[in-house]
Amino acid sequence: MDRKLKQLQTMLAEVSDLYAAAALLGWDQQTYMPTGGAEGRGNQLGTVETLAHLKFTAPEVGKILEDLQPYADQLDPDSNEARLIKVTRRHYDKQTKVPSELIAEMARVTAVAHQVWAEARAENNFAKFQPHLEKVVELRRRYAELFAPYDHIYDPLLDDYEPGLKTAEVKTIFEKLRPQQVALVKAIAAKPQVEANFLYQTFDEQKQWDFGVQVISSFGFDWKHGRQDRSAHPFTQSIGMQDVRITTRSNPNFLNTGLFGTMHEAGHALYELGIDPLLARSPLGSGASLAVHESQSRMWENLVGRSLPFWEHFYPHLQRVFPSQLGNISLERFYKGINRVQPSLIRVEADEATYNLHIMLRLEIEIALIENTLPVKDLPEAWNTRMKEYLGVVPENDSQGVLQDVHWSGGMIGYFSTYALGNLVSAQIWEQINQDVPDLPDQIRRGEFSPLLGWLREKIHRHGAKFEPQELIQRVIGSKIDPAAYVRYLGTKYSEIYKL
Amino acid sequence: MDRKLKQLQTMLAEVSDLYAAAALLGWDQQTYMPTGGAEGRGNQLGTVETLAHLKFTAPEVGKILEDLQPYADQLDPDSNEARLIKVTRRHYDKQTKVPSELIAEMARVTAVAHQVWAEARAENNFAKFQPHLEKVVELRRRYAELFAPYDHIYDPLLDDYEPGLKTAEVKTIFEKLRPQQVALVKAIAAKPQVEANFLYQTFDEQKQWDFGVQVISSFGFDWKHGRQDRSAHPFTQSIGMQDVRITTRSNPNFLNTGLFGTMHEAGHALYELGIDPLLARSPLGSGASLAVHESQSRMWENLVGRSLPFWEHFYPHLQRVFPSQLGNISLERFYKGINRVQPSLIRVEADEATYNLHIMLRLEIEIALIENTLPVKDLPEAWNTRMKEYLGVVPENDSQGVLQDVHWSGGMIGYFSTYALGNLVSAQIWEQINQDVPDLPDQIRRGEFSPLLGWLREKIHRHGAKFEPQELIQRVIGSKIDPAAYVRYLGTKYSEIYKL
């Protein structure tokens, strides 16, 4: 059995190496690749990813997994070996259900859909995108149907990004959350607005970059195993667990973009960098799910990076970097400014109080699309109605509305809710950490982050993808995903800032 | 047959994509990879290259090649299709002769040998490297023996880098060249030395970089399909034919390193970028051989970049960039300085008159090693004796002598002579171009390089690896590799500079 296990590990290591090569091809595509390399890069990515998929779904992998099952049943169920077999089995069963024709068709359809989406957004022309989105929805529905029976047809899509989570669970969570978050936004809107003009001045981009480096270095970002580059759309990419890269962008006329984006991506990277090296080159060597990942990025960005203790430490530094812009702005004004709540049209620019509402409307629309109860052509109306209801604002055009996000054009239906779930989880974990590390605010006030990082590594990071997200969260905080902690967090924070 | 050919092309395209992925992994390793990523990168490269090799040497490739042979025999022998089948057959036959155990053993031995070589060089301790080099030589000998019968046991090694060329041919060429080149160096040594101190001043590295960019842009380097980065050891890497990258380094206290290194690498890149796009994703989509490649890099670096017409155009620019360093140095003094001949110990720093002598002694030593007529332990003595004889200088220690180059530690025995052959070919081609484009010096004097690049593309670049190097050279200039043109070139140039 040891020999069989070794054989499985070798196969998985090779698959993992291929995905790491694909990861580098993708990272390079968005950072340094000359534009003329695009066509070749598409071929290279296609070949490498197809090979990885073929290797992973080969019948011999299934055979070894079957042979290993009796052995796995005798192992400590929490051991790396038992979990490796379990998680691999899960991926194998899911991936082998999908005919390669469907994968190829999805690749073809989304390649075009992505291109058309970009044009449609630029031209503010939803009708142009509509037939392509219809195809994408149809293909995602056919994909979901492969996994029947299910409680809900949206389940298999959600499961792609959040293993084990059910549509009904997310709905329950969001239905509990929505009225409270809508009420909070309304309460804030009734109060005088805080000022934030000082964030919209000219900030030298190199100085922004250097300040960001200082901050994430203090978080514990390890430059021996990571790097930071610029890209149009910020992202974090692990290229094997020993090489985790973040990309960021900054805005010379608005401080928040680079500042909080850098902390956000560093949060993702710290997670990947904290995984137990024993899990390298295997399906366990990555984060547990997108929601758990987002809980880490949002924690460093918001729970840490938008907190008063954090700025008690860092604000004097920032003032020294930008004396003419911030020298006369008090810590309190600055803190309120970076936390200003303002219902707006664009998800990626939303504040903490409104962000989840952007997600909820997307989830409702996605479910209706996949259920076939909302025709694609009615999407703009459904979008705008909900924007009005949840946020009180309505986009003037579809570019600022239903066309704003890239996800659907790439086939990523099932993804959005993980953003909001990550917010909820971040607050749940935060309450637990504050119980376990009672002087955490004082540590942050002193710029000390290693106890926090140590806690996260011990409880979450090191486990990689050994546990399904709900199981992991249960182990860490003793309960499942629940919005109460996040509602408490927002309530406390904004009551103080807006004197609710 | 069309279907079979298509099948072959698809297979070769996938292999080519895998090698492109490996190329990016390698490029990144030497430019941006954080140091902690080294172990993972080794695994990734091993997996991707092994897969590419396995895919290429699969029995079904051999079967298709056999099936296609009758079809190939009816094609125009110069057609892309006929050449594709021929070249693929050649690679296939060679690669399938090598047992995978030998490949794996070479990988293991050289991984250690490379590490030990770096230490031995740092510690000036040849004895430490000796047993590892003995293993490398033994493995290369075993590799060569796989291809028996041969005229000479060194032939298969040379053939790895210079397809079709025989040891006897190189020996003949070098025996004709050596006495003439030794005599030239002696004649120069008898004359007063030209001054070059002004090249050893402080030159801002960003300004050096910008000037280099200006120069290679004027050569026709296409930034839409290429880029330039810094690395410790300059190299050019094609990542698929539409994305060709150069890396360079500069020295803040010596102008030549960055200046000529940039032109050299751009010469390699222009070759790759000029290959017919129809040859992409196939074994024909690269340069014909290392010697032909080197003929291109050395042509742009030396025949163009160290010529008087070139500097008649660019020297005023350079003086404006470095007014305090070069403002008082006349064009004539500058031209002589960059062409100063000075026998020295280190190959990569050698001038045009002495460079080939460094190569010849390496070839003689390599042949003797593989023939087993020179024991590895006697290598330092053999090295120093020849240095004295050919160049009149003797290294004080082995770090500056036999340990200076990385090649042997990586198993690259058979490689060196291509550097010298490239020099010879560059001069042969140059004579031909000057016949075909009679006002070439005037064009260069005006900073016009597109007729030169156009000629190279038409005659050489576009063909990729369709023709073996000797055949290609024969087609271009009507004769094989011969040292006469290079000797004429050096004679004319240095007679003028040193008034011989």
Side-chain angles (χ1 to χ4, degrees), chain A residues 113 116-130 133 346 362 379-380 383-384 395 397-409:
Chain A
V116 174
W117 163 76
E119 293 163 15
R121 187 170 78 155
E123 299 162 14
N124 181 30
N125 180 354
F126 179 77
K128 185 171 186 175
F129 182 48
Q130 184 189 318
L133 182 54
I346 306 297
R362 283 163 176 75
L379 231 165
W383 184 281
N384 295 345
N397 57 53
D398 291 334
S399 297
Q400 303 242 304
V402 68
L403 287 172
Q404 70 183 261
D405 289 310
V406 68
H407 302 61
W408 293 338
S409 75

mmCIF file of all heavy atoms in Angstrom, chain A residues 113 116-130 133 346 362 379-380 383-384 395 397-409:
data_model
loop_
_atom_site.group_PDB
_atom_site.id
_atom_site.type_symbol
_atom_site.label_atom_id
_atom_site.label_comp_id
_atom_site.label_asym_id
_atom_site.label_seq_id
_atom_site.Cartn_x
_atom_site.Cartn_y
_atom_site.Cartn_z
ATOM 1 N N ALA A 113 -16.903 34.942 -25.664
ATOM 2 C CA ALA A 113 -17.769 35.718 -24.771
ATOM 3 C C ALA A 113 -16.974 36.783 -24.025
ATOM 4 O O ALA A 113 -17.433 37.919 -23.839
ATOM 5 C CB ALA A 113 -18.469 34.785 -23.771
ATOM 6 N N VAL A 116 -16.289 39.629 -26.439
ATOM 7 C CA VAL A 116 -17.512 40.395 -26.718
ATOM 8 C C VAL A 116 -17.939 41.189 -25.483
ATOM 9 O O VAL A 116 -18.379 42.341 -25.594
ATOM 10 C CB VAL A 116 -18.654 39.444 -27.163
ATOM 11 C CG1 VAL A 116 -19.969 40.207 -27.309
ATOM 12 C CG2 VAL A 116 -18.280 38.757 -28.471
ATOM 13 N N TRP A 117 -17.805 40.589 -24.309
ATOM 14 C CA TRP A 117 -18.152 41.302 -23.073
ATOM 15 C C TRP A 117 -17.352 42.608 -22.962
ATOM 16 O O TRP A 117 -17.902 43.659 -22.642
ATOM 17 C CB TRP A 117 -17.898 40.418 -21.850
ATOM 18 C CG TRP A 117 -17.845 41.216 -20.579
ATOM 19 C CD1 TRP A 117 -18.911 41.733 -19.904
ATOM 20 C CD2 TRP A 117 -16.679 41.658 -19.887
ATOM 21 N NE1 TRP A 117 -18.481 42.449 -18.817
ATOM 22 C CE2 TRP A 117 -17.108 42.420 -18.781
ATOM 23 C CE3 TRP A 117 -15.307 41.474 -20.088
ATOM 24 C CZ2 TRP A 117 -16.205 43.007 -17.880
ATOM 25 C CZ3 TRP A 117 -14.416 42.044 -19.196
ATOM 26 C CH2 TRP A 117 -14.874 42.805 -18.104
ATOM 27 N N ALA A 118 -16.037 42.511 -23.224
ATOM 28 C CA ALA A 118 -15.187 43.697 -23.106
ATOM 29 C C ALA A 118 -15.676 44.796 -24.069
ATOM 30 O O ALA A 118 -15.746 45.975 -23.711
ATOM 31 C CB ALA A 118 -13.736 43.336 -23.389
ATOM 32 N N GLU A 119 -16.041 44.387 -25.281
ATOM 33 C CA GLU A 119 -16.564 45.348 -26.250
ATOM 34 C C GLU A 119 -17.914 45.899 -25.795
ATOM 35 O O GLU A 119 -18.164 47.097 -25.851
ATOM 36 C CB GLU A 119 -16.712 44.687 -27.630
ATOM 37 C CG GLU A 119 -15.395 44.304 -28.279
ATOM 38 C CD GLU A 119 -15.560 43.309 -29.425
ATOM 39 O OE1 GLU A 119 -16.717 43.126 -29.907
ATOM 40 O OE2 GLU A 119 -14.561 42.691 -29.809
ATOM 41 N N ALA A 120 -18.790 44.983 -25.359
ATOM 42 C CA ALA A 120 -20.138 45.400 -24.943
ATOM 43 C C ALA A 120 -20.069 46.378 -23.784
ATOM 44 O O ALA A 120 -20.808 47.364 -23.734
ATOM 45 C CB ALA A 120 -20.964 44.169 -24.548
ATOM 46 N N ARG A 121 -19.154 46.126 -22.843
ATOM 47 C CA ARG A 121 -19.016 47.035 -21.713
ATOM 48 C C ARG A 121 -18.532 48.400 -22.193
ATOM 49 O O ARG A 121 -19.056 49.431 -21.779
ATOM 50 C CB ARG A 121 -18.052 46.465 -20.668
ATOM 51 C CG ARG A 121 -18.025 47.319 -19.414
ATOM 52 C CD ARG A 121 -17.284 46.663 -18.270
ATOM 53 N NE ARG A 121 -15.843 46.760 -18.437
ATOM 54 C CZ ARG A 121 -14.975 46.716 -17.415
ATOM 55 N NH1 ARG A 121 -15.412 46.553 -16.183
ATOM 56 N NH2 ARG A 121 -13.689 46.785 -17.628
ATOM 57 N N ALA A 122 -17.548 48.374 -23.087
ATOM 58 C CA ALA A 122 -17.020 49.646 -23.605
ATOM 59 C C ALA A 122 -18.102 50.413 -24.365
ATOM 60 O O ALA A 122 -18.165 51.641 -24.297
ATOM 61 C CB ALA A 122 -15.817 49.371 -24.501
ATOM 62 N N GLU A 123 -18.950 49.668 -25.080
ATOM 63 C CA GLU A 123 -19.979 50.322 -25.906
ATOM 64 C C GLU A 123 -21.304 50.470 -25.162
ATOM 65 O O GLU A 123 -22.276 50.964 -25.742
ATOM 66 C CB GLU A 123 -20.223 49.480 -27.171
ATOM 67 C CG GLU A 123 -19.008 49.324 -28.053
ATOM 68 C CD GLU A 123 -19.163 48.157 -29.029
ATOM 69 O OE1 GLU A 123 -20.297 47.659 -29.200
ATOM 70 O OE2 GLU A 123 -18.129 47.728 -29.598
ATOM 71 N N ASN A 124 -21.360 50.019 -23.917
ATOM 72 C CA ASN A 124 -22.603 50.058 -23.161
ATOM 73 C C ASN A 124 -23.739 49.410 -23.940
ATOM 74 O O ASN A 124 -24.780 50.002 -24.174
ATOM 75 C CB ASN A 124 -22.945 51.514 -22.810
ATOM 76 C CG ASN A 124 -24.217 51.612 -21.995
ATOM 77 O OD1 ASN A 124 -24.550 50.701 -21.243
ATOM 78 N ND2 ASN A 124 -24.935 52.696 -22.172
ATOM 79 N N ASN A 125 -23.510 48.168 -24.339
ATOM 80 C CA ASN A 125 -24.435 47.499 -25.243
ATOM 81 C C ASN A 125 -24.695 46.073 -24.746
ATOM 82 O O ASN A 125 -24.056 45.118 -25.179
ATOM 83 C CB ASN A 125 -23.810 47.502 -26.653
ATOM 84 C CG ASN A 125 -24.716 46.827 -27.672
ATOM 85 O OD1 ASN A 125 -25.760 46.259 -27.332
ATOM 86 N ND2 ASN A 125 -24.317 46.889 -28.924
ATOM 87 N N PHE A 126 -25.659 45.925 -23.849
ATOM 88 C CA PHE A 126 -25.935 44.614 -23.276
ATOM 89 C C PHE A 126 -26.425 43.629 -24.334
ATOM 90 O O PHE A 126 -26.099 42.435 -24.301
ATOM 91 C CB PHE A 126 -26.964 44.705 -22.143
ATOM 92 C CG PHE A 126 -27.295 43.361 -21.554
ATOM 93 C CD1 PHE A 126 -26.414 42.746 -20.670
ATOM 94 C CD2 PHE A 126 -28.463 42.688 -21.889
ATOM 95 C CE1 PHE A 126 -26.700 41.499 -20.134
ATOM 96 C CE2 PHE A 126 -28.754 41.431 -21.368
ATOM 97 C CZ PHE A 126 -27.871 40.843 -20.485
ATOM 98 N N ALA A 127 -27.198 44.135 -25.290
ATOM 99 C CA ALA A 127 -27.765 43.259 -26.322
ATOM 100 C C ALA A 127 -26.672 42.494 -27.063
ATOM 101 O O ALA A 127 -26.861 41.352 -27.487
ATOM 102 C CB ALA A 127 -28.593 44.079 -27.308
ATOM 103 N N LYS A 128 -25.522 43.142 -27.221
ATOM 104 C CA LYS A 128 -24.404 42.499 -27.919
ATOM 105 C C LYS A 128 -23.890 41.284 -27.131
ATOM 106 O O LYS A 128 -23.533 40.263 -27.703
ATOM 107 C CB LYS A 128 -23.289 43.527 -28.088
ATOM 108 C CG LYS A 128 -22.105 43.050 -28.895
ATOM 109 C CD LYS A 128 -21.165 44.223 -29.180
ATOM 110 C CE LYS A 128 -20.047 43.776 -30.132
ATOM 111 N NZ LYS A 128 -19.207 44.922 -30.515
ATOM 112 N N PHE A 129 -23.863 41.434 -25.820
ATOM 113 C CA PHE A 129 -23.353 40.366 -24.963
ATOM 114 C C PHE A 129 -24.387 39.265 -24.743
ATOM 115 O O PHE A 129 -24.040 38.101 -24.518
ATOM 116 C CB PHE A 129 -22.906 40.983 -23.627
ATOM 117 C CG PHE A 129 -22.312 40.004 -22.640
ATOM 118 C CD1 PHE A 129 -21.337 39.084 -23.032
ATOM 119 C CD2 PHE A 129 -22.707 40.028 -21.306
ATOM 120 C CE1 PHE A 129 -20.775 38.196 -22.111
ATOM 121 C CE2 PHE A 129 -22.155 39.139 -20.385
ATOM 122 C CZ PHE A 129 -21.191 38.218 -20.794
ATOM 123 N N GLN A 130 -25.650 39.638 -24.819
ATOM 124 C CA GLN A 130 -26.737 38.733 -24.441
ATOM 125 C C GLN A 130 -26.660 37.315 -25.033
ATOM 126 O O GLN A 130 -26.688 36.332 -24.273
ATOM 127 C CB GLN A 130 -28.077 39.384 -24.783
ATOM 128 C CG GLN A 130 -29.280 38.555 -24.347
ATOM 129 C CD GLN A 130 -30.583 39.125 -24.908
ATOM 130 O OE1 GLN A 130 -30.761 40.348 -24.915
ATOM 131 N NE2 GLN A 130 -31.454 38.261 -25.380
ATOM 132 N N LEU A 133 -23.881 35.364 -23.386
ATOM 133 C CA LEU A 133 -24.183 35.003 -22.001
ATOM 134 C C LEU A 133 -25.210 33.868 -21.965
ATOM 135 O O LEU A 133 -25.138 32.977 -21.114
ATOM 136 C CB LEU A 133 -24.686 36.232 -21.224
ATOM 137 C CG LEU A 133 -24.987 35.994 -19.742
ATOM 138 C CD1 LEU A 133 -23.790 35.383 -19.010
ATOM 139 C CD2 LEU A 133 -25.397 37.310 -19.057
ATOM 140 N N ILE A 346 -20.464 50.363 -8.330
ATOM 141 C CA ILE A 346 -19.424 49.404 -8.724
ATOM 142 C C ILE A 346 -18.964 48.569 -7.532
ATOM 143 O O ILE A 346 -18.467 49.095 -6.539
ATOM 144 C CB ILE A 346 -18.224 50.151 -9.338
ATOM 145 C CG1 ILE A 346 -18.684 51.056 -10.488
ATOM 146 C CG2 ILE A 346 -17.162 49.159 -9.814
ATOM 147 C CD1 ILE A 346 -19.292 50.325 -11.674
ATOM 148 N N ARG A 362 -26.213 39.599 -7.057
ATOM 149 C CA ARG A 362 -25.625 38.728 -8.083
ATOM 150 C C ARG A 362 -26.010 37.262 -7.846
ATOM 151 O O ARG A 362 -26.302 36.517 -8.785
ATOM 152 C CB ARG A 362 -24.099 38.869 -8.080
ATOM 153 C CG ARG A 362 -23.609 40.159 -8.754
ATOM 154 C CD ARG A 362 -22.162 40.463 -8.375
ATOM 155 N NE ARG A 362 -21.613 41.631 -9.046
ATOM 156 C CZ ARG A 362 -21.905 42.891 -8.738
ATOM 157 N NH1 ARG A 362 -22.793 43.164 -7.791
ATOM 158 N NH2 ARG A 362 -21.342 43.895 -9.394
ATOM 159 N N LEU A 379 -32.163 40.518 -17.730
ATOM 160 C CA LEU A 379 -31.145 40.707 -16.709
ATOM 161 C C LEU A 379 -30.950 42.178 -16.299
ATOM 162 O O LEU A 379 -30.913 42.487 -15.096
ATOM 163 C CB LEU A 379 -29.830 40.131 -17.235
ATOM 164 C CG LEU A 379 -29.106 39.151 -16.324
ATOM 165 C CD1 LEU A 379 -28.046 38.418 -17.125
ATOM 166 C CD2 LEU A 379 -28.496 39.877 -15.171
ATOM 167 N N PRO A 380 -30.826 43.099 -17.257
ATOM 168 C CA PRO A 380 -30.603 44.489 -16.851
ATOM 169 C C PRO A 380 -31.707 45.006 -15.927
ATOM 170 O O PRO A 380 -31.428 45.669 -14.923
ATOM 171 C CB PRO A 380 -30.592 45.245 -18.185
ATOM 172 C CG PRO A 380 -30.142 44.227 -19.183
ATOM 173 C CD PRO A 380 -30.754 42.933 -18.725
ATOM 174 N N TRP A 383 -31.389 43.488 -12.495
ATOM 175 C CA TRP A 383 -30.235 44.114 -11.841
ATOM 176 C C TRP A 383 -30.627 45.462 -11.234
ATOM 177 O O TRP A 383 -30.423 45.725 -10.041
ATOM 178 C CB TRP A 383 -29.118 44.307 -12.879
ATOM 179 C CG TRP A 383 -27.843 44.856 -12.331
ATOM 180 C CD1 TRP A 383 -27.571 46.166 -12.031
ATOM 181 C CD2 TRP A 383 -26.668 44.121 -12.007
ATOM 182 N NE1 TRP A 383 -26.305 46.288 -11.551
ATOM 183 C CE2 TRP A 383 -25.725 45.037 -11.520
ATOM 184 C CE3 TRP A 383 -26.320 42.767 -12.078
ATOM 185 C CZ2 TRP A 383 -24.454 44.648 -11.119
ATOM 186 C CZ3 TRP A 383 -25.057 42.385 -11.695
ATOM 187 C CH2 TRP A 383 -24.151 43.315 -11.205
ATOM 188 N N ASN A 384 -31.198 46.292 -12.080
ATOM 189 C CA ASN A 384 -31.469 47.662 -11.656
ATOM 190 C C ASN A 384 -32.525 47.724 -10.544
ATOM 191 O O ASN A 384 -32.430 48.547 -9.635
ATOM 192 C CB ASN A 384 -31.898 48.508 -12.861
ATOM 193 C CG ASN A 384 -30.751 48.629 -13.863
ATOM 194 O OD1 ASN A 384 -29.600 48.329 -13.544
ATOM 195 N ND2 ASN A 384 -31.068 49.070 -15.073
ATOM 196 N N PRO A 395 -27.966 52.299 -11.753
ATOM 197 C CA PRO A 395 -26.982 52.679 -12.784
ATOM 198 C C PRO A 395 -27.639 53.398 -13.952
ATOM 199 O O PRO A 395 -28.760 53.063 -14.344
ATOM 200 C CB PRO A 395 -26.388 51.336 -13.236
ATOM 201 C CG PRO A 395 -27.305 50.285 -12.726
ATOM 202 C CD PRO A 395 -28.030 50.844 -11.559
ATOM 203 N N ASN A 397 -26.418 53.332 -16.888
ATOM 204 C CA ASN A 397 -26.287 52.469 -18.068
ATOM 205 C C ASN A 397 -25.771 51.093 -17.637
ATOM 206 O O ASN A 397 -25.321 50.915 -16.507
ATOM 207 C CB ASN A 397 -25.340 53.105 -19.093
ATOM 208 C CG ASN A 397 -23.981 53.388 -18.477
ATOM 209 O OD1 ASN A 397 -23.356 52.505 -17.896
ATOM 210 N ND2 ASN A 397 -23.534 54.637 -18.587
ATOM 211 N N ASP A 398 -25.825 50.128 -18.558
ATOM 212 C CA ASP A 398 -25.466 48.757 -18.207
ATOM 213 C C ASP A 398 -23.963 48.562 -17.980
ATOM 214 O O ASP A 398 -23.550 47.626 -17.294
ATOM 215 C CB ASP A 398 -25.975 47.786 -19.282
ATOM 216 C CG ASP A 398 -27.491 47.700 -19.279
ATOM 217 O OD1 ASP A 398 -28.100 47.946 -18.213
ATOM 218 O OD2 ASP A 398 -28.073 47.408 -20.339
ATOM 219 N N SER A 399 -23.145 49.433 -18.573
ATOM 220 C CA SER A 399 -21.708 49.336 -18.322
ATOM 221 C C SER A 399 -21.409 49.507 -16.848
ATOM 222 O O SER A 399 -20.507 48.871 -16.298
ATOM 223 C CB SER A 399 -20.951 50.413 -19.095
ATOM 224 O OG SER A 399 -21.115 50.211 -20.470
ATOM 225 N N GLN A 400 -22.174 50.394 -16.211
ATOM 226 C CA GLN A 400 -22.011 50.619 -14.779
ATOM 227 C C GLN A 400 -22.902 49.674 -13.978
ATOM 228 O O GLN A 400 -22.928 49.753 -12.752
ATOM 229 C CB GLN A 400 -22.425 52.055 -14.448
ATOM 230 C CG GLN A 400 -21.645 53.099 -15.223
ATOM 231 C CD GLN A 400 -20.861 53.965 -14.282
ATOM 232 O OE1 GLN A 400 -21.405 54.568 -13.380
ATOM 233 N NE2 GLN A 400 -19.558 53.990 -14.478
ATOM 234 N N GLY A 401 -23.620 48.827 -14.679
ATOM 235 C CA GLY A 401 -24.526 47.908 -13.999
ATOM 236 C C GLY A 401 -24.150 46.472 -14.298
ATOM 237 O O GLY A 401 -23.078 45.997 -13.920
ATOM 238 N N VAL A 402 -25.011 45.818 -15.019
ATOM 239 C CA VAL A 402 -24.922 44.380 -15.209
ATOM 240 C C VAL A 402 -23.671 43.950 -15.996
ATOM 241 O O VAL A 402 -23.273 42.788 -15.934
ATOM 242 C CB VAL A 402 -26.220 43.876 -15.893
ATOM 243 C CG1 VAL A 402 -26.305 44.394 -17.321
ATOM 244 C CG2 VAL A 402 -26.357 42.368 -15.824
ATOM 245 N N LEU A 403 -23.061 44.887 -16.709
ATOM 246 C CA LEU A 403 -21.874 44.530 -17.500
ATOM 247 C C LEU A 403 -20.558 44.757 -16.766
ATOM 248 O O LEU A 403 -19.481 44.574 -17.329
ATOM 249 C CB LEU A 403 -21.867 45.347 -18.810
ATOM 250 C CG LEU A 403 -22.875 44.939 -19.886
ATOM 251 C CD1 LEU A 403 -22.881 45.966 -21.030
ATOM 252 C CD2 LEU A 403 -22.570 43.551 -20.436
ATOM 253 N N GLN A 404 -20.625 45.182 -15.496
ATOM 254 C CA GLN A 404 -19.376 45.622 -14.858
ATOM 255 C C GLN A 404 -18.372 44.516 -14.548
ATOM 256 O O GLN A 404 -17.176 44.758 -14.550
ATOM 257 C CB GLN A 404 -19.680 46.396 -13.568
ATOM 258 C CG GLN A 404 -20.229 45.561 -12.434
ATOM 259 C CD GLN A 404 -20.574 46.420 -11.215
ATOM 260 O OE1 GLN A 404 -19.825 46.507 -10.275
ATOM 261 N NE2 GLN A 404 -21.723 47.075 -11.260
ATOM 262 N N ASP A 405 -18.825 43.302 -14.272
ATOM 263 C CA ASP A 405 -17.897 42.241 -13.831
ATOM 264 C C ASP A 405 -17.512 41.287 -14.956
ATOM 265 O O ASP A 405 -18.329 40.952 -15.798
ATOM 266 C CB ASP A 405 -18.536 41.419 -12.701
ATOM 267 C CG ASP A 405 -18.641 42.195 -11.405
ATOM 268 O OD1 ASP A 405 -17.628 42.779 -10.992
ATOM 269 O OD2 ASP A 405 -19.746 42.216 -10.826
ATOM 270 N N VAL A 406 -16.303 40.795 -14.881
ATOM 271 C CA VAL A 406 -15.779 39.892 -15.898
ATOM 272 C C VAL A 406 -16.288 38.452 -15.740
ATOM 273 O O VAL A 406 -16.306 37.678 -16.707
ATOM 274 C CB VAL A 406 -14.227 39.899 -15.864
ATOM 275 C CG1 VAL A 406 -13.700 39.252 -14.574
ATOM 276 C CG2 VAL A 406 -13.629 39.205 -17.069
ATOM 277 N N HIS A 407 -16.732 38.088 -14.534
ATOM 278 C CA HIS A 407 -16.911 36.668 -14.189
ATOM 279 C C HIS A 407 -17.773 35.859 -15.153
ATOM 280 O O HIS A 407 -17.386 34.781 -15.589
ATOM 281 C CB HIS A 407 -17.494 36.547 -12.776
ATOM 282 C CG HIS A 407 -16.657 37.194 -11.726
ATOM 283 N ND1 HIS A 407 -16.360 38.548 -11.727
ATOM 284 C CD2 HIS A 407 -16.025 36.685 -10.634
ATOM 285 C CE1 HIS A 407 -15.609 38.832 -10.686
ATOM 286 N NE2 HIS A 407 -15.391 37.745 -10.001
ATOM 287 N N TRP A 408 -18.958 36.359 -15.443
ATOM 288 C CA TRP A 408 -19.887 35.558 -16.256
ATOM 289 C C TRP A 408 -19.324 35.298 -17.652
ATOM 290 O O TRP A 408 -19.540 34.227 -18.217
ATOM 291 C CB TRP A 408 -21.258 36.259 -16.337
ATOM 292 C CG TRP A 408 -21.969 36.303 -15.016
ATOM 293 C CD1 TRP A 408 -21.751 35.464 -13.955
ATOM 294 C CD2 TRP A 408 -22.982 37.223 -14.600
ATOM 295 N NE1 TRP A 408 -22.574 35.799 -12.905
ATOM 296 C CE2 TRP A 408 -23.348 36.878 -13.273
ATOM 297 C CE3 TRP A 408 -23.631 38.295 -15.206
ATOM 298 C CZ2 TRP A 408 -24.314 37.570 -12.549
ATOM 299 C CZ3 TRP A 408 -24.606 38.984 -14.494
ATOM 300 C CH2 TRP A 408 -24.945 38.626 -13.175
ATOM 301 N N SER A 409 -18.623 36.267 -18.204
ATOM 302 C CA SER A 409 -18.086 36.074 -19.559
ATOM 303 C C SER A 409 -17.067 34.933 -19.573
ATOM 304 O O SER A 409 -16.814 34.337 -20.621
ATOM 305 C CB SER A 409 -17.447 37.358 -20.071
ATOM 306 O OG SER A 409 -16.192 37.573 -19.450
#
